[in-house]
Amino acid sequence: MERPYLLDVTRHISLRWTQRRETGIDRVCSAYLRHFAAQSHAVVQHRGAFRILDARQTDELFDLVATPQEGFRRRFVAFASSALIRGTSRVDGRRAIYLNVSHTDFDLDSHVAWTRSCDLRAIYLIHDLIPIRHAHHCRAQAVHRHRGRVVNALNTAAGIIVNSRATHEDLAQFAQTNCMRLPHVVVAPLAGAALAAPASGRRPLATPYFLCVGTIESRKNHMLLLRIWLKMVEDGAANIPALVIIGQWGARSVAVRRFLEANPVLSRHVTVLDHCPDADMARWMAHAQALLLPTLAEGFGLPLVEALSMGTPAIASDLPCFRESGQGIPLLLRPDDEAQWAAAIDHFASNAIGRRRQKAMARTYLPPTWADHFRRVDRWLGALDVKRPARRPIREGAELCG
């Protein structure tokens, strides 16, 4: 152990190997890699198999996964054939800190056994409890696995990082309901993408438009917006603004696809972009009448932070995380009140006083930064109690009272 931390980079490798588009969790992983790279050994795991790399191999792997490059698969195979084979699966960690901020495999008993056999203090970042609290919006396997993550983290972690007070409260409630200990927790808000103001003042659309950003899935409540836009069309409304939806197609997005197919008239007013580089996102965000976030459940909500940081007004669901990160600026509405949402969209389309008020208030917005995030995390890590967590049985149902 030449360095004080072990940083799990399994998700980085998966992202580059599959060439899938980044999600919010991937952006968090990249920030942790930038911050902890010089202090960490790389850990790679796959369903119970582990490799811990020495300092030289670690630096080579970190460079490989830090930025997307052509030929990643070929170069990674060449790297893996030597470095991963030579890497060790066990170390005498002597209470070193292992960081896993990607939700990778810590639902597995084999993962818990590995951290204990290496004498590591495991630190996990839990992004939300949505699959547990809102299981009907998730696949059954996703619900099962996330419950396993939360249970194992509560049972065995030396500490847990959360992104908001709302997530902390959800975690504490879960622990209390299931008679479980709550380890040391630090609330460290996440920073949004660094969306630079577009160099050109040219709007991406000539007509006014609203923007909705986020994976297209049932909990994001895109259907509310589509029904509102369809009603505008059917009522013969004049000067209908455009709706631009930016997000990858996710699980349980079939209803959105079918609604759009069943109502082709919406294609004149609704655009779906399932891929949008940050430079293009900045242009869409900067000129929108408002960002619309009618989501039914959220752990943090990076798009809201990004919009307010650019001075873009926002209409969002009245959720604890948005009350927290919005700093009193967005208009918050019940996500099931379609009439209120329709009225607010009509109000903001005309640049009425509510929109102008938000534009003015956004000048005072203080967005969370990665510097602030890591100041909190570093201070917290330095103060962690070095006592071993109590060994608890890890099995299905072990968290239940009695």
Side-chain angles (χ1 to χ4, degrees):
M1 292 290 298
E2 304 161 76
R3 297 173 177 178
Y5 299 109
L6 287 85
L7 179 64
D8 198 302
V9 291
T10 307
R11 187 177 174 114
H12 289 84
I13 296 168
S14 173
L15 175 70
R16 305 303 180 211
W17 184 270
T18 60
Q19 299 180 323
R20 61 178 173 81
R21 294 170 195 144
E22 281 191 339
T23 65
I25 292 181
D26 295 311
R27 290 181 183 270
V28 173
C29 291
S30 295
Y32 270 75
L33 178 58
R34 290 191 299 270
H35 184 76
F36 284 102
Q39 309 170 71
S40 299
H41 289 278
V43 173
V44 181
Q45 59 171 313
H46 180 69
R47 306 303 290 173
F50 298 86
R51 282 293 181 270
I52 307 162
L53 306 187
D54 66 23
R56 185 184 62 79
Q57 295 165 342
T58 288
D59 291 342
E60 188 177 349
L61 179 59
F62 285 173
D63 287 343
L64 190 59
V65 300
T67 53
Q69 296 176 6
E70 291 296 323
F72 172 81
R73 288 189 177 190
R74 173 183 51 80
R75 291 182 298 114
F76 179 73
V77 168
F79 170 82
S81 64
S82 57
L84 288 187
I85 289 175
R86 292 198 308 270
T88 182
S89 61
R90 294 285 188 275
V91 292
D92 179 5
R94 299 182 182 180
R95 310 297 292 144
I97 287 175
Y98 161 75
L99 288 163
N100 184 324
V101 300
S102 61
H103 283 178
T104 300
D105 280 0
F106 57 90
D107 56 309
L108 302 178
D109 291 357
S110 56
H111 176 98
V112 173
W114 173 77
T115 61
R116 285 175 169 168
S117 70
C118 292
D119 195 20
L120 301 175
R121 286 182 289 162
I123 304 295
Y124 302 113
L125 197 160
I126 293 181
H127 295 259
D128 57 63
L129 275 74
I130 289 170
I132 297 172
R133 292 174 54 84
H134 305 276
H136 56 290
H137 289 298
C138 306
R139 297 186 305 271
Q141 177 66 3
V143 174
H144 174 75
R145 292 209 64 186
H146 198 57
R147 184 179 181 84
R149 292 185 192 105
V150 173
V151 168
N152 278 356
L154 290 172
N155 269 327
T156 69
I160 296 174
I161 303 166
V162 294
N163 50 21
S164 65
R165 291 193 301 273
T167 301
H168 187 193
E169 289 168 7
D170 287 347
L171 184 65
Q173 183 180 29
F174 180 89
Q176 182 179 27
T177 300
N178 294 288
C179 301
M180 301 178 70
R181 74 181 187 103
L182 187 65
H184 301 283
V185 178
V186 62
V187 177
L190 308 175
L195 299 179
S200 167
R202 188 178 61 184
R203 297 169 57 91
L205 284 181
T207 58
Y209 65 88
F210 289 84
L211 186 64
C212 181
V213 178
T215 302
I216 302 171
E217 54 186 335
S218 61
R219 74 176 173 90
K220 296 291 188 177
N221 204 18
H222 293 87
M223 290 297 298
L224 175 137
L225 300 179
L226 295 181
R227 288 193 300 268
I228 289 172
W229 255 261
L230 182 61
K231 190 172 189 305
M232 283 193 270
V233 173
E234 292 176 341
D235 289 349
N239 304 317
I240 297 175
L243 171 63
V244 179
I245 298 172
I246 297 178
Q248 302 177 55
W249 292 95
R252 308 211 171 191
S253 59
V254 173
V256 173
R257 288 186 185 274
R258 288 179 177 168
F259 193 91
L260 291 171
E261 291 167 359
N263 299 282
V265 67
L266 283 176
S267 64
R268 299 203 300 266
H269 306 283
V270 178
T271 300
V272 178
L273 303 176
D274 65 357
H275 176 56
C276 186
D278 282 355
D280 294 341
M281 177 71 80
R283 276 210 313 143
W284 284 112
M285 193 80 81
H287 297 288
Q289 294 299 110
L291 176 72
L292 305 177
L293 294 173
T295 181
L296 301 170
E298 204 69 61
F300 185 73
L302 282 171
L304 180 66
V305 170
E306 292 162 355
L308 295 179
S309 298
M310 294 192 74
T312 299
I315 307 170
S317 295
D318 189 6
L319 300 178
C321 65
F322 291 152
R323 290 179 223 137
E324 185 178 337
S325 61
Q327 299 174 16
I329 298 173
L331 174 60
L332 301 181
L333 305 174
R334 282 180 45 172
D336 60 351
D337 194 330
E338 195 168 307
Q340 271 202 332
W341 277 85
I345 289 166
D346 181 63
H347 183 80
F348 276 56
S350 63
N351 197 32
I353 189 169
R355 182 176 187 273
R356 297 198 303 272
R357 167 190 162 276
Q358 275 203 42
K359 293 281 286 185
M361 290 180 68
R363 299 190 191 104
T364 67
Y365 184 66
L366 297 174
T369 66
W370 284 121
D372 290 337
H373 176 94
F374 287 116
R375 267 194 293 271
R376 293 190 185 196
V377 169
D378 288 342
R379 184 168 59 245
W380 174 76
L381 288 174
L384 269 182
D385 185 353
V386 297
K387 282 180 62 178
R388 296 175 183 268
R391 294 193 175 226
R392 305 254 178 137
I394 308 301
R395 62 181 184 274
E396 185 65 22
E399 77 282 7
L400 299 179
C401 298

